[in-house]
Amino acid sequence: MKLLVAEDQSMLRDAMCQLLLMEDDVQKIFQASNGQEAIELLKKEEVDAAILDIEMPQTSGLDVLEWARAQRLPIKIVIVTTFKRVGYFQRAVKAGVDAYVLKDRSISELMTTIHTVLAGRKEYSPELMENIMTYENPLSSQELKVLEFIADGKTSKEIASQLFLSNGTVRNYTTSIFNKLGASNRVEAIKIAQENEWI
């Protein structure tokens, strides 16, 4: 089989490729250090499966996945990640990922995953499934309304007049939203809520 490994940490990528090449049924491995390189390689080379890291410079693993599906490429896509973010997982599943697994696995486990997807089955790390079952929206309905207005680019003053609240109350809601989501600013709060499809 021919594989593509896209991972921005070169030591990790090299080690992974060397170990994968020791497997009997791996004939060739193409390497990419970011998502854009991965896309360029997929345009030229035929591969059976692509192993993608999520967070890479220029273009993320999720972007590559969505691009490959839009092109209807006949490849299996395995996303490997250190992140247990529910939003990432949901986006990957929505885009039709074949496997979504955590990085802390052995090469033999990764090979088992590759064989699983090549056989037409899906595989998701159990830890992620657990997370998705237990991760619920912590925001109240009023906080969600405030965050939706924030996402629309409204100022605290505009939100206050829309919701018939005082400026101070809107600021309190905003602080509460940041605390509950673990966000340090508006952009981060919007991103977290959108990744989890709460707004």
Side-chain angles (χ1 to χ4, degrees), residues 105 107-117 121 123:
R105 51 185 31 220
I107 288 296
S108 63
E109 285 173 319
L110 184 57
M111 279 307 296
T112 303
T113 299
I114 292 165
H115 286 298
T116 297
V117 299
R121 295 191 303 276
E123 185 185 326

Side-chain angles (χ1 to χ4, degrees), residues 166-186:
S166 71
N167 255 349
T169 304
V170 171
R171 279 198 297 274
N172 290 343
Y173 275 129
T174 308
T175 304
S176 174
I177 290 164
F178 292 175
N179 290 340
K180 285 183 180 179
L181 298 184
S184 51
N185 55 48
R186 286 176 165 225

Side-chain angles (χ1 to χ4, degrees), residues 20-139:
L20 284 169
L21 277 169
M22 290 164 76
E23 298 289 325
D24 294 336
D25 44 1
V26 176
Q27 300 155 305
K28 185 160 189 174
I29 297 182
F30 299 99
Q31 293 190 40
S33 61
N34 60 55
Q36 199 49 50
E37 272 181 33
I39 287 172
E40 295 309 317
L41 275 162
L42 289 172
K43 282 179 184 173
K44 294 182 296 192
E45 309 291 348
E46 282 186 20
V47 300
D48 299 295
I51 299 154
L52 310 173
D53 182 27
I54 280 200
E55 295 216 331
M56 293 186 286
Q58 296 180 39
T59 310
S60 74
L62 290 171
D63 295 329
V64 178
L65 163 67
E66 287 163 350
W67 174 86
R69 292 299 181 245
Q71 304 299 313
R72 300 191 183 282
L73 297 184
I75 61 168
K76 300 296 182 185
I77 294 185
V78 176
I79 281 189
V80 289
T81 181
T82 50
F83 300 99
K84 293 186 187 178
R85 286 191 190 162
V86 176
Y88 281 172
F89 180 51
Q90 288 172 331
R91 186 177 156 195
V93 171
K94 200 186 251 180
V97 76
D98 295 289
Y100 191 107
V101 294
L102 295 172
K103 266 187 192 170
D104 58 358
R105 51 185 31 220
S106 67
I107 288 296
S108 63
E109 285 173 319
L110 184 57
M111 279 307 296
T112 303
T113 299
I114 292 165
H115 286 298
T116 297
V117 299
L118 289 173
R121 295 191 303 276
K122 303 267 187 192
E123 185 185 326
Y124 309 129
S125 278
E127 299 95 325
L128 290 158
M129 301 306 288
E130 252 168 57
N131 263 21
I132 218 163
M133 299 306 203
T134 56
Y135 198 46
E136 288 174 8
N137 183 353
L139 302 179

